[in-house]
Amino acid sequence: MNFHGPRPSYLYRPHPDGLQVSRNEAWRERNAWKFDYAFESIAKFNERIEACDQFNRSQRRLLIGLVNTAYDWLEELEEDH
């Protein structure tokens, strides 16, 4: 459930060269737990959003904000390292 939609900077960034690709893959392998944690958190937030009282807008807004923050964090992890 992505509330942001695609971001042009993410879609149109230049393709990295071979060295950068291998550095990024090595970084992702060392930090795979961060991705796992983010995906688990997003799944938990989505479950809590579905369980919310549909008339309690403030609680839903808070949880949607947490999901968006987690997506932003994942996008930062995807940047070149």
Side-chain angles (χ1 to χ4, degrees), residues 14 16 21 33 37-38 56 70:
V21 168
W33 68 272
Y37 175 76
N56 187 344

Side-chain angles (χ1 to χ4, degrees), residues 4-37:
H4 285 303
R7 293 189 177 189
S9 63
Y10 183 76
L11 294 175
Y12 299 113
R13 70 178 179 196
H15 296 289
D17 60 8
L19 177 61
Q20 188 65 47
V21 168
S22 63
R23 286 178 55 202
N24 288 349
E25 288 174 4
W27 186 90
R28 283 189 195 99
E29 288 174 10
R30 286 191 314 270
N31 294 286
W33 68 272
K34 293 179 183 178
F35 290 94
D36 294 339
Y37 175 76

Side-chain angles (χ1 to χ4, degrees), residues 15-63:
H15 296 289
D17 60 8
L19 177 61
Q20 188 65 47
V21 168
S22 63
R23 286 178 55 202
N24 288 349
E25 288 174 4
W27 186 90
R28 283 189 195 99
E29 288 174 10
R30 286 191 314 270
N31 294 286
W33 68 272
K34 293 179 183 178
F35 290 94
D36 294 339
Y37 175 76
F39 287 125
E40 289 172 12
S41 297
I42 289 171
K44 288 177 186 175
F45 292 147
N46 282 330
E47 288 174 8
R48 291 171 78 186
I49 289 171
E50 294 299 321
C52 280
D53 178 11
Q54 63 184 351
F55 300 109
N56 187 344
R57 300 274 187 212
S58 61
Q59 187 179 22
R60 291 179 68 85
R61 195 175 319 125
L62 171 67
L63 291 170

